[in-house]
Amino acid sequence: VFFFKQKTAYEISACLVGSEMCIRDRQQYNMLDQELSDLQANYEKDKVLWMDKFNFLEHQREQLKNDLVDAQCKFELTLQHIQKHRSNDKEESESSHNALIQSCLLYTSDAADDLLCVDLGGRRIIKK
């Protein structure tokens, strides 16, 4: 009497696949294929989203650079304007100071020209 053990498809040959294995593997393959499709779709959505965010930030960066350059130019113009006004104010102050000194010198000069009298603190001393 011979007893034969029934062999599975794997034991018979690695290249032979039974119908039961095909059905099971096909379902698993379909699930993996669907998961791969979902991942690819999500990847594409995320890629578009991140590219939009990146482009927005790049645009913001360029705008801020331009704003900084504009602000620097305005600051330099304001500084030049202030320096010009200070210079003008200083010249006006010096000219009014010089005018005051000249008027004092003229007064002193007029008093010194008068040989007959000398003004000493509001009192006149007359010389003969």
Side-chain angles (χ1 to χ4, degrees):
V1 177
F2 293 99
F3 293 100
F4 290 101
K5 177 184 170 195
Q6 186 176 4
K7 295 188 181 230
T8 63
Y10 289 115
E11 291 174 326
I12 297 171
S13 174
C15 64
L16 295 178
V17 177
S19 61
E20 185 179 305
M21 290 178 62
C22 286
I23 294 169
R24 184 189 67 213
D25 289 348
R26 189 177 318 130
Q27 289 171 349
Q28 193 174 19
Y29 172 78
N30 288 340
M31 286 181 5
L32 289 174
D33 192 43
Q34 182 62 41
E35 189 177 333
L36 178 62
S37 295
D38 291 345
L39 287 173
Q40 287 174 334
N42 287 337
Y43 170 77
E44 290 301 321
K45 287 178 190 175
D46 287 347
K47 182 179 175 183
V48 169
L49 176 70
W50 284 108
M51 286 304 295
D52 287 346
K53 286 182 180 181
F54 177 78
N55 291 335
F56 172 76
L57 291 174
E58 279 293 311
H59 176 72
Q60 289 291 94
R61 184 174 136 213
E62 290 301 316
Q63 184 64 40
L64 290 173
K65 278 184 183 179
N66 293 337
D67 291 348
L68 180 61
V69 168
D70 290 345
Q72 286 173 332
C73 289
K74 288 177 183 177
F75 175 75
E76 289 173 5
L77 288 173
T78 302
L79 190 59
Q80 290 172 357
H81 183 73
I82 289 171
Q83 289 172 340
K84 181 179 176 183
H85 279 287
R86 279 189 180 168
S87 175
N88 290 343
D89 290 345
K90 185 177 178 183
E91 288 173 5
E92 288 176 13
S93 174
E94 286 177 357
S95 70
S96 63
H97 182 69
N98 287 340
L100 182 63
I101 289 174
Q102 287 175 354
S103 68
C104 288
L105 289 177
L106 285 175
Y107 173 75
T108 306
S109 173
D110 287 345
D113 284 344
D114 190 0
L115 298 177
L116 300 176
C117 64
V118 177
D119 186 6
L120 297 175
R123 296 180 313 207
R124 288 186 165 240
I125 298 175
I126 300 174
K127 294 181 179 181
K128 290 187 180 183

